[in-house]
Amino acid sequence: MSDLRDAGMNSKAWPFEEARRLLKRYEKAPPEKGFVLFETGYGPSGLPHIGTFGEVLRTTMIRRAFEVISDIPTRLICFSDDMDGMRKVPGNVPNQDRLREDLQRPLTAVYDPFETHESFGHHNNAMLRRFLDTFGFDYEFYSATEFYKSGQFDAVLKRAVEKYDDIMKVMLKSLRDERAQTYSIFLPIHPETGRVLYVPMKSVNKDDYTITFDDPDGREWTLPVTGGQVKLQWKPDFGARWAALDVDFEMYGKDHSTNTPIYDRICEILGGKKPEHFTYELFLDDKGQKISKSSGNGISIDEWLTYACTESLSYFMFQKPKTAKRLFFDVIPRAMDEYHQQLRAYPGQTPEQQVANPVFHIHNGDVPASDMVVPFSMLLNLASVAGAEEKEQLWGFIRRYAPDATPEANPQLDAAAGYAVRYYNDFVKPEKVYRAPTDVEREALEALRDALKAYEGAVDGDALQQVVFDVGRDRFDPMRDWFKALYEVLLGASQGPRFGGFIALYGVAETVDLIEKGLAGELG
């Protein structure tokens, strides 16, 4: 354990860098509350999505890294902002006309269009918890509605009344003049309509912790800020929650980064210590546009898990969180293969190398072995040339290539074969475009066919790669033109696998037959 802790204290892996920064927060004295608190937030106006997964996963990675280098206990809260008013009706739910009747009501007071829970907010909270439980996250769930109504937020809300002018000064600096005229940090919930009101305050009363305002009909009301009758605007709510819970760490997307000084200052005004932050870059779709829940671009969790294992998604999330990345279907094969490359490397690494390996953070140090004797990219190409509709078609080739492999002994490989068939049929097959060889390529393909017919060596990827290389060496400069020709003529793609390994998996005789079909123009 000491070796692991020493490695973690010196590791350049970003979870350890963040964990060390958090540890400095308590280098003089441990936290009075007895633990370090991590928090993630969720807006339950829609279902959990891939960004939710990434935020909780990355926070968990930092939490686990902190536990390696420190003995201070930790907790993780997933906080649902379910008291926010519903501003618009989502386009992907039933009973939309009925939902419109509840616009501007807190999400936990909005009709559940699925008619399975007490409210739309309760429904989405249940989906969030099921989502987090499915992936095995260790967390505590907090509901903003319960937080406000139970009185847990009352002390901070009273301080917000006492410090109202100071908080307003912070907020008004960030607002346009028109918005500033009517802005208040407090949003009353109308006693009759139940709607969240965006109205200016007539007075904020420090003597009894109430606010006075006129509703949209011009009627004057006075409400206590406590007991869930008033909520905070979202920016003040961020900082107030940090102060109320004594949050030590929270991460969020780059789109929040300009508000960080506001959140921090409000937290401090309310008597809290600002937490440590980590700002991650946003995901982009295949056109380089920011992924958005409302526009539905990009890729969902369910879609990723249709074509690859959960761990490959975790691997993708681990990589360069401060760099904007394309999150689309074409990143899946590489993530699958690189994840298994790291699994295979892990056992032979030093502790320093292991804590820098993504799989250490994906598996919290309990790293399994990889049984992928065939890379995922190779399975995709095998599915392509075999025209596979079922994974069993791939197993015929796999067993010949690796006689000891079975679906039972190699469950990761078996699952990957199924993923590869689905990915091939949905993405590769529709895009396949074969072309005829040029004269030089035809001569080279004929020479490769003849060399493979005469080949009597071991069915070994490296040896067969040398055969391929020897044929192309005197005919192509640069050599990548030779491999590109193999892919485009024989596989209908612009890129592909290490070709010697492909021959070993697909079969020498089968590859000879494939070349002859390519020469005859029978593959298109």
Side-chain angles (χ1 to χ4, degrees):
M1 184 64 184
S2 60
D3 288 347
L4 187 60
R5 179 163 292 188
D6 289 344
M9 288 300 291
N10 292 287
S11 175
K12 293 183 179 179
W14 62 264
F16 279 110
E17 289 184 335
E18 295 304 312
R20 290 194 300 271
R21 191 160 59 87
L22 183 54
L23 185 59
K24 286 183 179 179
R25 187 177 176 91
Y26 293 113
E27 60 185 351
K28 293 182 180 179
E32 291 185 8
K33 60 182 179 291
F35 55 88
V36 166
L37 183 60
F38 295 79
E39 184 185 55
T40 65
Y42 168 62
S45 58
L47 299 178
H49 57 98
I50 207 160
T52 310
F53 173 82
E55 191 165 302
V56 180
L57 174 76
R58 287 166 169 169
T59 301
T60 296
M61 288 177 172
I62 296 171
R63 179 189 182 189
R64 297 310 181 201
F66 182 87
E67 291 171 345
V68 169
I69 64 172
S70 172
D71 294 323
I72 302 173
T74 66
R75 289 170 57 189
L76 169 62
I77 286 175
C78 186
F79 198 102
S80 173
D81 291 309
D82 56 20
M83 206 167 168
D84 290 351
M86 183 178 70
R87 297 197 174 195
K88 63 180 181 179
V89 176
N92 58 349
V93 299
N95 299 314
Q96 296 196 8
D97 289 341
R98 172 63 184 83
L99 266 183
R100 288 188 183 91
E101 298 175 21
D102 288 342
L103 282 171
Q104 301 305 330
R105 289 197 174 107
L107 288 160
T108 45
V110 170
Y111 160 79
D112 176 18
F114 301 96
E115 298 185 339
T116 58
H117 290 78
E118 179 182 339
S119 71
F120 190 36
H122 286 86
H123 172 274
N124 288 344
N125 284 341
M127 296 301 102
L128 171 68
R129 297 177 78 168
R130 189 176 72 181
F131 172 88
L132 297 176
D133 292 343
T134 297
F135 294 110
F137 288 118
D138 176 21
Y139 69 99
E140 299 168 50
F141 177 78
Y142 271 54
S143 158
T145 300
E146 294 178 11
F147 198 59
Y148 274 92
K149 289 185 175 181
S150 68
Q152 292 180 80
F153 216 2
D154 283 357
V156 165
L157 288 167
K158 288 180 178 180
R159 284 203 296 274
V161 170
E162 295 167 356
K163 300 292 185 178
Y164 182 77
D165 292 339
D166 292 338
I167 299 172
M168 283 292 289
K169 285 179 183 177
V170 173
M171 289 307 305
L172 292 176
K173 290 178 183 177
S174 68
L175 301 174
R176 295 189 299 271
D177 289 343
E178 182 180 356
R179 176 93 166 104
Q181 297 301 316
T182 59
Y183 181 85
S184 169
I185 66 170
F186 292 117
L187 301 179
I189 297 172
H190 198 289
E192 293 179 348
T193 68
R195 286 180 164 80
V196 179
L197 301 180
Y198 291 79
V199 291
M201 296 295 103
K202 295 179 77 172
S203 64
V204 176
N205 312 304
K206 298 179 182 179
D207 54 341
D208 59 358
Y209 299 109
T210 61
I211 56 172
T212 301
F213 60 94
D214 288 340
D215 70 12
D217 295 327
R219 292 184 296 167
E220 183 178 280
W221 297 85
T222 297
L223 294 178
V225 297
T226 54
Q229 299 189 63
V230 173
K231 74 177 298 292
L232 289 168
Q233 289 262 16
W234 70 274
K235 290 180 185 178
D237 187 83
F238 233 102
R241 194 165 69 220
W242 289 348
L245 290 170
D246 192 13
V247 173
D248 292 297
F249 180 90
E250 181 154 356
M251 69 163 55
Y252 36 75
K254 185 181 178 181
D255 49 347
H256 277 278
S257 61
T258 55
N259 295 321
T260 298
I262 296 174
Y263 305 153
D264 284 348
R265 184 65 191 123
I266 290 173
C267 175
E268 292 171 337
I269 289 171
L270 293 173
K273 181 180 180 180
K274 64 183 181 181
E276 305 304 316
H277 314 298
F278 182 89
T279 303
Y280 56 85
E281 264 287 358
L282 304 177
F283 297 116
L284 309 176
D285 65 11
D286 58 328
K287 298 179 178 62
Q289 302 297 311
K290 186 181 82 168
I291 284 177
S292 161
K293 280 190 292 185
S294 58
S295 62
N297 57 341
I299 179 173
S300 72
I301 285 266
D302 288 340
E303 287 170 333
W304 185 294
L305 299 185
T306 299
Y307 305 108
C309 62
T310 307
E311 294 82 3
S312 67
L313 178 57
S314 299
Y315 175 85
F316 180 83
M317 291 291 177
F318 179 88
Q319 298 297 312
K320 298 180 180 178
K322 288 186 175 289
T323 301
K325 296 199 294 285
R326 290 178 66 257
L327 178 55
F328 208 64
F329 295 100
D330 55 0
V331 306
I332 291 176
R334 181 175 179 180
M336 276 285 282
D337 278 339
E338 289 185 359
Y339 163 68
H340 280 279
Q341 287 168 10
Q342 298 289 2
L343 280 185
R344 288 191 292 273
Y346 187 84
Q349 292 177 327
T350 64
E352 290 75 14
Q353 292 169 327
Q354 287 181 334
V355 297
N357 189 323
V359 299
F360 176 89
H361 302 275
I362 293 169
H363 295 284
N364 191 26
D366 185 16
V367 179
S370 172
D371 65 40
M372 287 281 287
V373 295
V374 179
F376 187 69
S377 56
M378 196 75 80
L379 292 174
L380 281 176
N381 284 283
L382 184 59
S384 180
V385 296
E389 299 289 337
E390 302 290 340
K391 67 180 179 181
E392 286 72 22
Q393 293 171 260
L394 303 189
W395 268 105
F397 297 97
I398 295 169
R399 286 190 185 94
R400 185 175 59 191
Y401 174 77
D404 294 335
T406 66
E408 295 74 26
N410 301 71
Q412 298 165 357
L413 177 59
D414 185 53
Y419 294 138
V421 169
R422 287 194 288 273
Y423 191 96
Y424 159 69
N425 280 285
D426 290 351
F427 297 107
V428 179
K429 186 177 180 179
E431 301 297 325
K432 286 174 70 170
V433 178
Y434 294 92
R435 67 170 176 84
T438 64
D439 291 342
V440 172
E441 292 167 352
R442 176 175 291 276
E443 179 199 348
L445 284 166
E446 289 172 347
L448 178 59
R449 174 199 62 195
D450 295 342
L452 291 176
K453 280 184 177 181
Y455 183 76
E456 296 181 348
V459 182
D460 173 78
D462 290 338
L464 290 164
Q465 181 74 2
Q466 189 61 51
V467 173
V468 177
F469 190 86
D470 288 344
V471 169
R473 180 172 49 199
D474 297 330
R475 296 176 172 87
F476 295 90
D477 185 19
M479 276 290 286
R480 65 174 175 268
D481 290 344
W482 168 223
F483 291 101
K484 185 179 179 183
L486 290 170
Y487 304 143
E488 292 178 350
V489 175
L490 303 180
L491 301 180
S494 59
Q495 55 188 350
R498 193 166 186 266
F499 209 74
F502 170 76
I503 297 170
L505 177 62
Y506 187 51
V508 175
E510 287 79 2
T511 304
V512 168
D513 183 58
L514 182 68
I515 293 172
E516 289 182 339
K517 288 181 178 178
L519 291 169
E522 296 175 3
L523 294 177

